[in-house]
């Protein structure tokens, strides 16, 4: 967050922390949200995607097109460790492009200066 009264420099690269709680099958909005993440990264922004709840199912398998697209765009892809455990998903069943992370990662990211958090 910017301190009160400090100017918005605008136009520069921003940091985005996008949280996806829906699975791929939840309709076109879930896939569109991940496409938006790739587009933001393509525009030069720092982008991290955190898959939580049913969103973790989007990272199952070794060749998931949405995850491949994000990784190719330079997006850091995190999977909620608790949600994965609740769905019996271990590191071996998840895409090699993701890493397990806990809620402390979310809290730390959202507390960073100029981080823009978006939950879907």
């Amino acid at each position: 967050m910017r301190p009160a009264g400090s100017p918005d420099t605008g136009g520069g690269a921003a940091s985005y922390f996008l949280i996806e709680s829906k699975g791929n099958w939840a309709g076109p909005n879930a896939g569109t949200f991940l496409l938006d993440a790739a587009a933001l990264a393509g525009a030069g922004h720092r982008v991290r995607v955190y898959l939580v709840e049913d969103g973790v199912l989007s990272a199952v398998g070794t060749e998931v097109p949405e995850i491949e697209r994000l990784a190719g765009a330079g997006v850091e892809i995190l999977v909620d460790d608790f949600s994965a455990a609740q769905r019996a998903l271990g590191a071996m069943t998840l895409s090699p492009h993701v890493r397990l992370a806990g809620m402390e990662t979310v809290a730390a990211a959202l507390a960073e200066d100029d981080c823009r958090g978006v939950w879907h």
Side-chain angles (χ1 to χ4, degrees):
M1 292 186 290
R2 248 183 4 260
S6 67
D8 180 3
T9 57
S15 174
Y16 291 90
F17 195 87
L18 307 178
I19 302 170
E20 176 59 79
S21 62
K22 297 173 177 44
N24 289 350
W25 68 90
N29 289 337
T32 301
F33 189 73
L34 297 180
L35 285 174
D36 290 344
L40 287 167
H45 301 291
R46 178 182 184 201
V47 179
R48 291 167 285 179
V49 169
Y50 189 75
L51 302 172
V52 66
E53 298 173 355
D54 285 343
V56 301
L57 299 172
S58 298
V60 173
T62 57
E63 296 182 21
V64 181
E66 294 84 1
I67 299 300
E68 296 286 327
R69 185 177 303 112
L70 290 173
V75 174
E76 182 180 2
I77 310 157
L78 307 167
V79 171
D80 177 52
D81 55 0
F82 180 78
S83 296
Q86 290 294 304
R87 289 155 181 81
L89 302 175
M92 298 303 292
T93 59
L94 296 172
S95 167
H97 299 292
V98 306
R99 81 175 163 88
L100 293 170
M103 280 295 164
E104 68 279 357
T105 302
V106 176
L110 294 175
E112 293 174 0
D113 288 346
D114 295 324
C115 180
R116 300 170 183 173
V118 182
W119 186 297
H120 180 249

